[in-house]
Each structure stands twice: as structure tokens, then as C-alpha cells.
């Protein structure tokens, strides 16, 4: 089963004078199928925490174990491969590549390891079907609505069957009805894949849809 174990993470940013202590002591333990919302005011360190959990940034101290592996012990190319396999990211502004079709965007995570396999192609097709975009695979992101683009981003995040799905305000740009349906879809796919989902959000509705909610305050989860 997928596991995430975070112990006493701390992160500061150096500044003129004294440094800015963004995370002081963050610990959590989650396993496959769990979903967690992290809420807190702008600037409290939510994105910093998500970046570290996503192995895009290093903590100053503390540890992160994803399926019992410590990503920060890997070298750069091992870490890139680990990230591509174990972590799916979903961003507020979807980060789709504008010149690639819907299908190609979903397949982007496979490009890190070479050409997509027949299995990747069929899985991408199944995911696009699951998010209701089977008939739009050849379209460009600019030809889709905001909700549809977010659905493509969800399919892309799930392609490699990651241990950990990290979402930063995934419904931030969507109207309420679209946001609700995207949230339900994300949770459905996450539950059935057995991944762990961590969502950072300002939205009470999105937060309430997750299994548990924590507030990031003074660099700690309370
Ligand atoms: P949130 O996502 O909760 O709005 P962030 O994690 O983006 O908060 O930022 C937390 C704090 O750290 C903010 O005060 C921000 O200005 C600061 N910060 C974020 N990234 C950097 C950086 N690379 N260098 C210096 N300060 C940063
Ligand atoms: Mg942020």
C-alpha cells in the first residue's frame, strides 16, 4: 500500500537580517486512499510544503519517506525518475503545454523515460475516457473550457499511477458547479487508484470533500 511519512520538516528562506522560517515542524503520516486538505492564509507556506513533498525543493531538516524511500538521498537523475513515477502534480492553472494535443499532454510524464509504450497509450485513453474527454483527445488546450483543461491535468497526474497526488488550488479558477464536479472526479480516480492525495486550497468546499483537513499555522500543521 502507498505510504507517506513526514517527520519534523523545517524550511527557512535566507533574507537580509534574519531568515524567514516558513515551515518549523511539519509531520504527517498518510496511506493509500487517504485524502488531506491543507488550508491556511496566503503566505503561510502551503506551496513551500507541497514543493518539498513533491521533491522539487529540499527541506533544511526533517525527513520525507514516500513508499519508504527517502527521495533526498537520490542523485539528480534518480530523483527526476523517482518524481516522474511516484508523484502526480495538479496545478491551479493546469500547466498544459499549449502546442500539444490533449492526448499528448496526458502522455507528457512518459517522455521522461522515452517513448510512450502501448500500455501508456491505452492507459491515457482510459483516463481521458474516465474524465469525460474521450472525444476531445486531438484537441488543443485552447479549444477546451477551464474545467476540461483541469480534467486533462488530472488525467496527466494519474498516468504513471503515482503514490502521491499533489494538488495546489486545483479548482481555483473554476466556477462552483465545475469545481464541484472536478473535485468529485479527482477523488473518485484517486480512491480507485489507491494513491494518497494532498490538496492545498482556500476553498472550504474543496477542503470539506477531503477525508481530513489540517491548517498550516506558524509553520506547523494544526
Ligand atoms: P502559500 O502557498 O501558503 O501562499 P508560500 O509557500 O508560497 O505560501 O510562501 C510562504 C512564504 O515564503 C511567503 O512569505 C513567501 O514570500 C516566502 N517565499 C516563498 N518562496 C520563497 C523563496 N524562493 N525565497 C524567499 N522567500 C520565499
Ligand atoms: Mg501558494
Amino acid at each position: 500500500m502507498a505510504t507517506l511519512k513526514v517527520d519534523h520538516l523545517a524550511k527557512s528562506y535566507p533574507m537580509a537580517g534574519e531568515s524567514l522560517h516558513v515551515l518549523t515542524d511539519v509531520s504527517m503520516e498518510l496511506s493509500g486512499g487517504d485524502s488531506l486538505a491543507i488550508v491556511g492564509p496566503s503566505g503561510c507556506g502551503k506551496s513551500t510544503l507541497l514543493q518539498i513533498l513533491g521533491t522539487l525543493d529540499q527541506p533544511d531538516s526533517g525527513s520525507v519517506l514516500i513508499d519508504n524511500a527517502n527521495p533526498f538521498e537520490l542523485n539528480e537523475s534518480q530523483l527526476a525518475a523517482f518524481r516522474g513515477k511516484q508523484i502526480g502534480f495538479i496545478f491551479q492553472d493546469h500547466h498544459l503545454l499549449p502546442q500539444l494535443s490533449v492526448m499528448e499532454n496526458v502522455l507528457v510524464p512518459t517522455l521522461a523515460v522515452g517513448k510512450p509504450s502501448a500500455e501508456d497509450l491505452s492507459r491515457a485513453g482510459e483516463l481521458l475516457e474516465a474524465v469525460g474527454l474521450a472525444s476531445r483527445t486531438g484537441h488543443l488546450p485552447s479549444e477546451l473550457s477551464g474545467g476540461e483543461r483541469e480534467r486533462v491535468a488530472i488525467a496527466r497526474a494519474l498516468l504513471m499511477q503515482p503514490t502521491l497526488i499533489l494538488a495546489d488550488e486545483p479548482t481555483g479558477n473554476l466556477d462552483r458547479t465545475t469545481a464541484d464536479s472536478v473535485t468529485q472526479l479527482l477523488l473518485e480516480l484517486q480512491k480507485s487508484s489507491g494513491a494518497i492525495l494532498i490538496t492545498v486550497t482556500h476553498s472550504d468546499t474543496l477542503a470539506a470533500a477531503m477525508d481530513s483537513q489540517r491548517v498550516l499555522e506558524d509553520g506547523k500543521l494544526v
Side-chain angles (χ1 to χ4, degrees), residues 46-47 168 200:
K46 302 182 297 298
S47 295
D168 199 341
V200 152

Side-chain angles (χ1 to χ4, degrees), residues 76-98:
E76 211 171 310
S77 66
Q78 290 170 328
L79 181 60
F82 178 90
R83 186 186 302 130
K85 180 70 201 79
Q86 303 280 13
I87 297 163
F89 292 96
I90 303 168
F91 303 94
Q92 173 169 0
D93 42 3
H94 60 75
H95 292 205
L96 299 179
L97 296 169

Side-chain angles (χ1 to χ4, degrees), residues 13-15 20 22 40-49 168 200 216:
Y13 291 114
M15 301 220 298
L20 179 68
V22 180
S42 181
C44 74
K46 302 182 297 298
S47 295
T48 300
L49 176 58
D168 199 341
V200 152
L216 185 57

Side-chain angles (χ1 to χ4, degrees), residues 17-35:
E18 70 179 303
S19 50
L20 179 68
H21 301 289
V22 180
L23 305 176
T24 55
D25 188 5
V26 171
S27 298
M28 66 175 108
E29 213 169 325
L30 295 168
S31 54
D34 290 346
S35 58

